[in-house]
Coordinates of all heavy atoms in Angstrom, one line a residue:
M1 N 3.1 -13.2 4.8 CA 1.8 -13.2 4.3 C 0.8 -12.7 5.4 O 0.9 -13.2 6.5 CB 1.4 -14.6 3.9 CG 0.1 -14.7 3.2 SD -0.3 -16.3 2.6 CE 1.1 -16.7 1.6
S2 N 0.0 -11.8 5.1 CA -0.9 -11.3 6.1 C -2.3 -12.0 6.0 O -2.8 -12.3 5.0 CB -1.1 -9.8 5.8 OG -2.1 -9.2 6.6
N3 N -2.9 -12.2 7.2 CA -4.2 -12.7 7.2 C -5.3 -11.7 7.5 O -6.4 -12.0 7.8 CB -4.3 -13.8 8.4 CG -3.6 -15.1 7.9 OD1 -3.5 -15.4 6.8 ND2 -3.1 -15.8 8.9
Q4 N -4.8 -10.4 7.4 CA -5.8 -9.3 7.6 C -6.3 -8.9 6.2 O -5.7 -9.0 5.2 CB -5.1 -8.1 8.2 CG -4.7 -8.4 9.7 CD -4.2 -7.2 10.3 OE1 -3.9 -6.2 9.6 NE2 -4.0 -7.2 11.6
I5 N -7.6 -8.4 6.2 CA -8.2 -8.0 5.0 C -7.7 -6.6 4.7 O -7.8 -5.7 5.6 CB -9.8 -8.0 5.1 CG1 -10.2 -9.4 5.4 CG2 -10.4 -7.4 3.9 CD1 -11.7 -9.5 5.7
E6 N -7.2 -6.4 3.5 CA -6.7 -5.1 3.1 C -7.9 -4.2 2.5 O -8.6 -4.7 1.6 CB -5.7 -5.2 1.9 CG -4.5 -6.0 2.3 CD -3.6 -6.2 1.1 OE1 -3.0 -5.2 0.6 OE2 -3.5 -7.3 0.6
T7 N -8.1 -3.0 3.1 CA -9.1 -2.2 2.6 C -8.6 -0.8 2.3 O -7.5 -0.4 2.7 CB -10.2 -2.0 3.7 OG1 -9.7 -1.4 4.8 CG2 -10.9 -3.3 4.0
R8 N -9.3 -0.1 1.5 CA -8.9 1.3 1.2 C -10.2 2.1 0.8 O -11.2 1.5 0.5 CB -7.9 1.4 0.0 CG -8.5 1.1 -1.4 CD -7.5 1.2 -2.5 NE -8.1 0.9 -3.8 CZ -7.4 0.9 -4.9 NH1 -6.1 1.0 -4.9 NH2 -8.0 0.6 -6.0
L9 N -10.1 3.4 1.0 CA -11.3 4.2 0.6 C -10.9 4.9 -0.7 O -9.9 5.6 -0.8 CB -11.5 5.3 1.7 CG -12.8 6.1 1.6 CD1 -14.0 5.2 1.7 CD2 -12.8 7.1 2.7
R10 N -11.7 4.7 -1.7 CA -11.5 5.3 -3.0 C -12.8 5.9 -3.6 O -13.8 5.2 -3.7 CB -11.0 4.2 -4.0 CG -10.6 4.8 -5.3 CD -9.8 3.8 -6.1 NE -9.5 4.3 -7.4 CZ -8.3 4.5 -7.9 NH1 -7.2 4.3 -7.1 NH2 -8.1 4.9 -9.1
L11 N -12.7 7.2 -3.8 CA -13.9 7.9 -4.4 C -15.1 7.7 -3.5 O -16.2 7.6 -4.0 CB -14.2 7.5 -5.8 CG -13.1 7.7 -6.8 CD1 -13.4 7.1 -8.2 CD2 -12.8 9.2 -7.0
G12 N -14.9 7.7 -2.2 CA -16.0 7.6 -1.2 C -16.5 6.2 -1.0 O -17.5 6.0 -0.2
A13 N -15.9 5.2 -1.6 CA -16.4 3.8 -1.5 C -15.2 3.0 -0.9 O -14.1 3.2 -1.2 CB -16.8 3.2 -2.8
T14 N -15.6 2.1 0.0 CA -14.7 1.2 0.6 C -14.4 0.1 -0.4 O -15.3 -0.5 -1.0 CB -15.2 0.6 1.9 OG1 -15.4 1.7 2.8 CG2 -14.2 -0.4 2.5
Q15 N -13.1 -0.2 -0.6 CA -12.7 -1.3 -1.5 C -11.9 -2.3 -0.7 O -11.2 -2.0 0.3 CB -11.9 -0.8 -2.7 CG -12.6 0.1 -3.6 CD -11.8 0.4 -4.8 OE1 -10.6 0.5 -4.8 NE2 -12.5 0.7 -6.0
I16 N -11.9 -3.6 -1.1 CA -11.2 -4.7 -0.5 C -10.3 -5.3 -1.6 O -10.7 -5.5 -2.7 CB -12.1 -5.7 0.1 CG1 -13.0 -5.1 1.2 CG2 -11.4 -6.9 0.6 CD1 -14.0 -6.1 1.8
N17 N -9.1 -5.6 -1.2 CA -8.2 -6.3 -2.1 C -8.5 -7.8 -2.0 O -8.2 -8.4 -1.0 CB -6.7 -6.0 -1.7 CG -5.7 -6.4 -2.8 OD1 -6.1 -6.7 -3.9 ND2 -4.5 -6.5 -2.4
V18 N -9.0 -8.4 -3.1 CA -9.3 -9.8 -3.1 C -8.2 -10.5 -3.8 O -7.5 -10.0 -4.7 CB -10.7 -10.1 -3.8 CG1 -11.9 -9.6 -3.0 CG2 -10.7 -9.6 -5.2
H19 N -8.0 -11.8 -3.4 CA -6.9 -12.6 -3.8 C -7.4 -13.8 -4.6 O -8.3 -14.5 -4.1 CB -6.0 -13.0 -2.7 CG -5.5 -11.8 -1.9 ND1 -4.3 -11.2 -2.2 CD2 -6.0 -11.2 -0.8 CE1 -4.1 -10.2 -1.4 NE2 -5.2 -10.2 -0.5
R20 N -6.8 -14.1 -5.7 CA -7.1 -15.2 -6.6 C -6.1 -16.3 -6.3 O -5.0 -16.1 -5.9 CB -7.1 -14.8 -8.0 CG -7.8 -15.8 -8.9 CD -7.9 -15.2 -10.3 NE -8.6 -16.2 -11.1 CZ -8.6 -16.1 -12.5 NH1 -8.0 -15.1 -13.1 NH2 -9.2 -17.0 -13.1
V21 N -6.6 -17.6 -6.4 CA -5.8 -18.7 -6.0 C -4.5 -18.8 -6.9 O -3.5 -19.4 -6.5 CB -6.6 -20.0 -6.1 CG1 -6.9 -20.4 -7.6 CG2 -5.9 -21.1 -5.4
N22 N -4.5 -18.2 -8.1 CA -3.2 -18.2 -8.9 C -2.2 -17.2 -8.5 O -1.2 -17.0 -9.2 CB -3.6 -18.1 -10.4 CG -4.2 -16.8 -10.8 OD1 -4.4 -15.9 -9.9 ND2 -4.5 -16.6 -12.0
G23 N -2.5 -16.4 -7.5 CA -1.6 -15.4 -7.0 C -2.0 -13.9 -7.4 O -1.4 -13.0 -6.8
E24 N -2.9 -13.8 -8.3 CA -3.3 -12.4 -8.6 C -4.1 -11.8 -7.5 O -4.6 -12.5 -6.6 CB -4.2 -12.4 -9.8 CG -3.6 -12.9 -11.1 CD -4.6 -12.9 -12.3 OE1 -5.7 -12.4 -12.1 OE2 -4.2 -13.3 -13.4
S25 N -4.2 -10.5 -7.5 CA -5.1 -9.8 -6.6 C -5.7 -8.6 -7.3 O -5.2 -8.1 -8.3 CB -4.4 -9.3 -5.3 OG -3.4 -8.4 -5.6
A26 N -6.9 -8.1 -6.8 CA -7.6 -7.0 -7.4 C -8.4 -6.3 -6.4 O -8.9 -6.9 -5.5 CB -8.5 -7.5 -8.5
W27 N -8.5 -5.0 -6.6 CA -9.3 -4.2 -5.7 C -10.7 -4.2 -6.2 O -10.9 -3.9 -7.4 CB -8.8 -2.7 -5.6 CG -7.5 -2.6 -4.8 CD1 -6.2 -2.6 -5.3 CD2 -7.4 -2.6 -3.4 NE1 -5.3 -2.5 -4.3 CE2 -6.0 -2.5 -3.1 CE3 -8.3 -2.6 -2.4 CZ2 -5.5 -2.4 -1.8 CZ3 -7.8 -2.5 -1.1 CH2 -6.4 -2.4 -0.8
M28 N -11.7 -4.4 -5.3 CA -13.1 -4.4 -5.7 C -13.9 -3.7 -4.6 O -13.4 -3.6 -3.5 CB -13.6 -5.9 -5.7 CG -12.9 -6.8 -6.7 SD -13.5 -8.5 -6.6 CE -15.1 -8.4 -7.2
D29 N -15.0 -3.1 -5.0 CA -15.9 -2.6 -4.0 C -16.2 -3.6 -2.9 O -16.3 -4.8 -3.3 CB -17.2 -2.1 -4.6 CG -17.0 -0.8 -5.4 OD1 -16.1 -0.1 -5.2 OD2 -17.9 -0.5 -6.3
A30 N -16.3 -3.2 -1.7 CA -16.5 -4.1 -0.6 C -17.6 -5.1 -0.7 O -17.4 -6.3 -0.5 CB -16.6 -3.3 0.7
V31 N -18.7 -4.7 -1.2 CA -19.9 -5.6 -1.3 C -19.6 -6.7 -2.4 O -19.8 -7.8 -2.2 CB -21.2 -4.8 -1.7 CG1 -22.3 -5.8 -2.1 CG2 -21.6 -3.9 -0.6
D32 N -19.0 -6.2 -3.5 CA -18.7 -7.2 -4.6 C -17.6 -8.1 -4.2 O -17.6 -9.3 -4.5 CB -18.2 -6.4 -5.9 CG -19.4 -5.6 -6.4 OD1 -20.5 -6.0 -6.3 OD2 -19.1 -4.5 -7.1
A33 N -16.6 -7.6 -3.5 CA -15.5 -8.5 -3.0 C -16.0 -9.6 -2.1 O -15.6 -10.7 -2.2 CB -14.4 -7.6 -2.3
R34 N -16.8 -9.2 -1.1 CA -17.3 -10.2 -0.2 C -18.2 -11.2 -0.9 O -18.2 -12.4 -0.6 CB -18.1 -9.5 1.0 CG -17.2 -8.7 1.9 CD -17.9 -8.1 3.0 NE -17.1 -7.2 3.8 CZ -16.2 -7.5 4.7 NH1 -15.9 -8.8 4.9 NH2 -15.5 -6.6 5.3
R35 N -19.0 -10.7 -1.8 CA -19.9 -11.6 -2.6 C -19.1 -12.6 -3.4 O -19.4 -13.8 -3.5 CB -20.8 -10.7 -3.5 CG -22.1 -11.5 -3.9 CD -23.0 -10.5 -4.6 NE -23.7 -9.7 -3.6 CZ -24.2 -8.5 -3.9 NH1 -24.2 -8.0 -5.1 NH2 -24.8 -7.8 -3.0
T36 N -18.1 -12.1 -4.1 CA -17.2 -12.9 -4.9 C -16.5 -14.0 -4.1 O -16.5 -15.2 -4.5 CB -16.2 -12.1 -5.7 OG1 -16.9 -11.2 -6.5 CG2 -15.3 -13.0 -6.5
A37 N -15.9 -13.6 -3.0 CA -15.3 -14.6 -2.1 C -16.2 -15.6 -1.5 O -15.9 -16.8 -1.3 CB -14.5 -13.9 -1.0
Q38 N -17.4 -15.2 -1.3 CA -18.4 -16.1 -0.7 C -19.0 -17.1 -1.8 O -19.1 -18.3 -1.5 CB -19.6 -15.3 -0.2 CG -20.6 -16.1 0.6 CD -21.7 -15.2 1.2 OE1 -22.1 -14.2 0.6 NE2 -22.1 -15.5 2.4
R39 N -19.2 -16.6 -3.0 CA -19.7 -17.4 -4.1 C -18.6 -18.4 -4.7 O -18.9 -19.5 -5.2 CB -20.2 -16.6 -5.2 CG -21.6 -16.0 -5.0 CD -22.2 -15.2 -6.1 NE -21.8 -15.7 -7.4 CZ -21.2 -15.0 -8.4 NH1 -20.8 -13.8 -8.1 NH2 -20.9 -15.6 -9.5
L40 N -17.4 -17.9 -4.7 CA -16.3 -18.7 -5.3 C -15.1 -18.9 -4.4 O -14.0 -18.4 -4.7 CB -15.8 -18.0 -6.6 CG -16.9 -17.7 -7.7 CD1 -16.4 -16.7 -8.7 CD2 -17.4 -19.0 -8.3
P41 N -15.3 -19.5 -3.3 CA -14.3 -19.6 -2.2 C -13.0 -20.4 -2.7 O -12.0 -20.2 -2.1 CB -15.0 -20.3 -1.1 CG -16.1 -21.1 -1.7 CD -16.5 -20.3 -2.9
D42 N -13.2 -21.3 -3.7 CA -12.0 -22.1 -4.1 C -11.1 -21.2 -5.1 O -9.9 -21.6 -5.3 CB -12.4 -23.3 -4.8 CG -13.1 -24.3 -3.9 OD1 -12.8 -24.2 -2.7 OD2 -13.9 -25.1 -4.4
E43 N -11.6 -20.1 -5.6 CA -10.9 -19.3 -6.5 C -10.5 -17.9 -5.9 O -9.4 -17.4 -6.2 CB -11.7 -19.1 -7.8 CG -10.9 -18.3 -8.9 CD -11.7 -18.2 -10.2 OE1 -12.8 -18.7 -10.3 OE2 -11.1 -17.7 -11.1
W44 N -11.4 -17.3 -5.1 CA -11.2 -16.0 -4.6 C -11.2 -16.0 -3.1 O -12.0 -16.7 -2.5 CB -12.2 -15.0 -5.1 CG -12.1 -14.8 -6.6 CD1 -12.8 -15.4 -7.6 CD2 -11.3 -13.8 -7.3 NE1 -12.4 -14.9 -8.8 CE2 -11.5 -14.0 -8.7 CE3 -10.4 -12.9 -6.8 CZ2 -10.8 -13.2 -9.6 CZ3 -9.7 -12.1 -7.8 CH2 -10.0 -12.2 -9.1
S45 N -10.4 -15.1 -2.4 CA -10.4 -15.0 -1.0 C -10.1 -13.6 -0.6 O -9.5 -12.8 -1.3 CB -9.3 -15.9 -0.4 OG -9.2 -15.8 1.0
L46 N -10.6 -13.2 0.6 CA -10.3 -11.9 1.1 C -8.9 -11.8 1.7 O -8.4 -10.7 2.0 CB -11.3 -11.5 2.2 CG -12.8 -11.4 1.6 CD1 -13.7 -11.0 2.8 CD2 -12.9 -10.5 0.5
T47 N -8.3 -12.9 1.9 CA -6.9 -13.0 2.4 C -6.1 -13.9 1.4 O -6.7 -14.7 0.7 CB -6.8 -13.6 3.8 OG1 -7.4 -14.9 3.8 CG2 -7.5 -12.7 4.8
P48 N -4.8 -13.7 1.3 CA -4.0 -14.5 0.4 C -4.1 -16.0 0.6 O -4.1 -16.4 1.7 CB -2.5 -14.0 0.6 CG -2.7 -12.6 1.2 CD -3.9 -12.7 2.0
F49 N -4.0 -16.7 -0.5 CA -4.0 -18.2 -0.4 C -2.6 -18.6 0.0 O -1.6 -17.9 -0.3 CB -4.3 -18.8 -1.7 CG -5.8 -18.8 -2.1 CD1 -6.3 -17.7 -2.8 CD2 -6.7 -19.7 -1.7 CE1 -7.6 -17.6 -3.2 CE2 -8.0 -19.7 -2.0 CZ -8.5 -18.6 -2.7
T50 N -2.4 -19.7 0.7 CA -1.1 -20.2 1.1 C -0.5 -20.8 -0.2 O -1.1 -21.1 -1.2 CB -1.2 -21.3 2.2 OG1 -2.0 -22.4 1.6 CG2 -2.0 -20.8 3.4
A51 N 0.8 -21.0 -0.1 CA 1.6 -21.7 -1.2 C 1.0 -23.1 -1.5 O 1.0 -23.5 -2.6 CB 3.1 -21.7 -0.9
E52 N 0.6 -23.8 -0.4 CA 0.1 -25.1 -0.6 C -1.2 -25.1 -1.3 O -1.5 -25.9 -2.2 CB -0.1 -25.8 0.8 CG 1.2 -26.1 1.5 CD 1.8 -24.9 2.3 OE1 1.0 -23.9 2.5 OE2 3.0 -24.9 2.6
Q53 N -2.1 -24.1 -1.0 CA -3.4 -24.0 -1.7 C -3.1 -23.6 -3.2 O -3.8 -24.2 -4.1 CB -4.2 -22.9 -1.0 CG -4.8 -23.3 0.3 CD -5.4 -22.2 1.0 OE1 -4.9 -21.1 1.1 NE2 -6.6 -22.4 1.6
Q54 N -2.2 -22.8 -3.4 CA -1.9 -22.4 -4.8 C -1.3 -23.6 -5.6 O -1.7 -23.8 -6.7 CB -0.9 -21.2 -4.9 CG -1.5 -19.9 -4.4 CD -0.5 -18.8 -4.5 OE1 0.7 -19.0 -4.7 NE2 -1.0 -17.6 -4.2
A55 N -0.5 -24.4 -5.0 CA 0.1 -25.6 -5.7 C -1.0 -26.6 -5.9 O -1.0 -27.2 -7.0 CB 1.2 -26.2 -4.8
A56 N -1.9 -26.8 -5.0 CA -3.0 -27.7 -5.2 C -3.9 -27.3 -6.3 O -4.4 -28.1 -7.1 CB -3.8 -27.9 -3.9
A57 N -4.2 -26.0 -6.4 CA -5.0 -25.5 -7.5 C -4.4 -25.7 -8.8 O -5.0 -26.0 -9.8 CB -5.3 -24.0 -7.2
L58 N -3.1 -25.5 -8.9 CA -2.3 -25.7 -10.1 C -2.4 -27.2 -10.6 O -2.5 -27.5 -11.7 CB -0.9 -25.2 -10.0 CG -0.1 -25.3 -11.3 CD1 -0.7 -24.4 -12.3 CD2 1.4 -24.8 -11.0
Q59 N -2.3 -28.1 -9.6 CA -2.4 -29.5 -9.8 C -3.8 -29.9 -10.4 O -3.9 -30.8 -11.2 CB -2.2 -30.3 -8.6 CG -0.7 -30.3 -8.1 CD 0.2 -30.9 -9.1 OE1 -0.1 -31.7 -10.0 NE2 1.5 -30.5 -9.0
D60 N -4.8 -29.2 -10.0 CA -6.2 -29.4 -10.5 C -6.4 -28.9 -11.9 O -7.4 -29.2 -12.5 CB -7.2 -28.8 -9.6 CG -7.3 -29.5 -8.2 OD1 -6.8 -30.7 -8.2 OD2 -7.8 -29.0 -7.3
T61 N -5.5 -28.0 -12.4 CA -5.6 -27.5 -13.7 C -5.1 -28.5 -14.8 O -3.9 -28.9 -14.6 CB -4.9 -26.1 -13.8 OG1 -5.3 -25.3 -12.8 CG2 -5.1 -25.5 -15.2
P62 N -5.9 -28.8 -15.8 CA -5.3 -29.7 -16.8 C -4.1 -29.1 -17.4 O -4.0 -27.9 -17.6 CB -6.5 -29.8 -17.8 CG -7.7 -29.5 -17.0 CD -7.2 -28.5 -16.0
R63 N -3.1 -30.0 -17.8 CA -1.9 -29.6 -18.3 C -2.0 -28.7 -19.6 O -1.3 -27.7 -19.7 CB -1.0 -30.8 -18.6 CG 0.3 -30.7 -18.0 CD 1.3 -31.8 -18.4 NE 1.9 -32.5 -17.3 CZ 2.5 -32.0 -16.4 NH1 2.7 -30.7 -16.2 NH2 3.1 -32.8 -15.4
E64 N -2.9 -29.0 -20.4 CA -3.1 -28.2 -21.7 C -3.7 -26.9 -21.4 O -3.5 -25.9 -22.2 CB -4.0 -29.0 -22.7 CG -5.4 -29.3 -22.2 CD -5.5 -30.6 -21.4 OE1 -4.5 -31.3 -21.2 OE2 -6.6 -31.0 -21.0
D65 N -4.3 -26.7 -20.2 CA -4.8 -25.3 -19.9 C -3.8 -24.5 -19.1 O -4.0 -23.3 -19.0 CB -6.1 -25.5 -19.0 CG -7.3 -26.0 -19.8 OD1 -7.2 -26.0 -21.0 OD2 -8.2 -26.5 -19.1
R66 N -2.7 -25.1 -18.6 CA -1.8 -24.3 -17.9 C -1.1 -23.3 -18.7 O -0.8 -22.2 -18.2 CB -0.7 -25.2 -17.3 CG -1.3 -26.1 -16.1 CD -0.2 -26.9 -15.5 NE -0.8 -27.8 -14.6 CZ -0.2 -28.8 -13.9 NH1 1.1 -28.8 -14.0 NH2 -0.8 -29.6 -13.1
A67 N -0.9 -23.5 -20.0 CA -0.2 -22.5 -20.8 C -1.1 -21.3 -21.0 O -0.6 -20.2 -21.3 CB 0.1 -23.2 -22.2
K68 N -2.4 -21.4 -20.8 CA -3.3 -20.3 -21.0 C -3.4 -19.4 -19.7 O -4.0 -18.4 -19.8 CB -4.8 -20.8 -21.3 CG -4.8 -21.7 -22.5 CD -6.2 -22.2 -22.7 CE -6.3 -23.3 -23.8 NZ -7.6 -23.9 -23.8
L69 N -2.8 -19.9 -18.6 CA -2.9 -19.1 -17.4 C -1.8 -18.0 -17.5 O -0.7 -18.2 -17.4 CB -2.5 -20.0 -16.2 CG -3.5 -21.1 -15.9 CD1 -3.0 -21.9 -14.7 CD2 -4.9 -20.6 -15.6
V70 N -2.4 -16.8 -17.6 CA -1.5 -15.6 -17.7 C -2.1 -14.5 -16.7 O -3.3 -14.5 -16.5 CB -1.4 -15.0 -19.1 CG1 -0.7 -16.0 -20.1 CG2 -2.8 -14.7 -19.7
P71 N -1.3 -13.7 -16.2 CA -1.8 -12.6 -15.3 C -2.7 -11.7 -16.1 O -2.6 -11.5 -17.3 CB -0.5 -11.9 -14.9 CG 0.6 -12.8 -15.2 CD 0.2 -13.7 -16.3
S72 N -3.7 -11.1 -15.4 CA -4.6 -10.3 -16.1 C -4.1 -8.9 -16.5 O -4.7 -8.2 -17.3 CB -5.9 -10.0 -15.2 OG -5.5 -9.3 -14.1
E73 N -2.9 -8.6 -16.0 CA -2.2 -7.3 -16.3 C -3.2 -6.1 -16.1 O -3.2 -5.2 -16.9 CB -1.7 -7.3 -17.7 CG -0.6 -8.4 -17.9 CD -0.1 -8.5 -19.3 OE1 -0.4 -7.6 -20.1 OE2 0.6 -9.5 -19.6
T74 N -3.9 -6.2 -15.0 CA -4.9 -5.1 -14.6 C -5.9 -4.7 -15.8 O -6.3 -3.6 -15.8 CB -4.2 -3.9 -14.1 OG1 -3.5 -3.3 -15.2 CG2 -3.3 -4.2 -13.0
A75 N -6.2 -5.7 -16.6 CA -7.1 -5.4 -17.7 C -8.4 -6.1 -17.5 O -9.3 -5.9 -18.3 CB -6.5 -5.8 -19.0
G76 N -8.6 -6.8 -16.4 CA -9.8 -7.5 -16.2 C -10.9 -6.7 -15.6 O -10.7 -5.5 -15.3
P77 N -12.1 -7.2 -15.5 CA -13.2 -6.5 -15.0 C -13.1 -6.1 -13.5 O -13.9 -5.2 -13.1 CB -14.4 -7.4 -15.2 CG -13.8 -8.8 -15.1 CD -12.4 -8.6 -15.7
F78 N -12.2 -6.7 -12.7 CA -12.1 -6.4 -11.3 C -11.0 -5.4 -11.0 O -10.8 -5.1 -9.9 CB -11.9 -7.7 -10.5 CG -13.0 -8.7 -10.7 CD1 -12.7 -9.9 -11.3 CD2 -14.3 -8.4 -10.4 CE1 -13.7 -10.9 -11.5 CE2 -15.3 -9.3 -10.6 CZ -15.0 -10.6 -11.1
N79 N -10.4 -4.9 -12.0 CA -9.3 -4.0 -11.8 C -9.7 -2.5 -12.1 O -10.4 -2.3 -13.0 CB -8.0 -4.4 -12.6 CG -7.5 -5.7 -12.2 OD1 -7.1 -5.9 -11.0 ND2 -7.5 -6.7 -13.1
V80 N -9.2 -1.6 -11.3 CA -9.5 -0.2 -11.5 C -8.3 0.5 -12.1 O -7.2 0.3 -11.8 CB -9.9 0.4 -10.1 CG1 -10.2 1.9 -10.3 CG2 -11.0 -0.2 -9.6

């Protein structure tokens, strides 16, 4: 697991790979990625969450909602 921020240049814009506490990740424009991680630090991060953080987040999810947790399959608003 890397603690470095992953970046890339796409169509002239810098993008950052943001990580969600459930294990998903998505490329976002740098400004949006930093803003998202700053506004929602318990859900999004610029570096991957640890296994312990992911397990704790899953424990906080009500059991009836766990069945609804599915990967976004790159169809969400943060995926290119």
Side-chain angles (χ1 to χ4, degrees):
M1 185 177 307
S2 172
N3 286 332
Q4 293 186 346
I5 298 173
E6 299 173 70
T7 62
R8 71 179 182 186
L9 189 61
R10 184 167 176 119
L11 301 174
T14 301
Q15 293 185 333
I16 296 176
N17 193 14
V18 291
H19 303 271
R20 196 169 179 197
V21 73
N22 68 357
E24 293 180 7
S25 65
W27 288 98
M28 299 173 71
D29 285 337
V31 171
D32 295 332
R34 291 181 190 284
R35 201 173 283 157
T36 298
Q38 190 175 37
R39 282 185 33 242
L40 303 166
D42 294 335
E43 185 176 3
W44 293 95
S45 175
L46 300 180
T47 58
F49 286 92
T50 65
E52 293 82 19
Q53 289 171 314
Q54 290 180 354
L58 185 60
Q59 290 295 340
D60 289 342
T61 305
R63 234 185 232 307
E64 59 273 5
D65 290 343
R66 289 184 190 177
K68 300 175 190 173
L69 296 177
V70 295
S72 65
E73 298 178 11
T74 66
F78 302 119
N79 296 300
V80 177

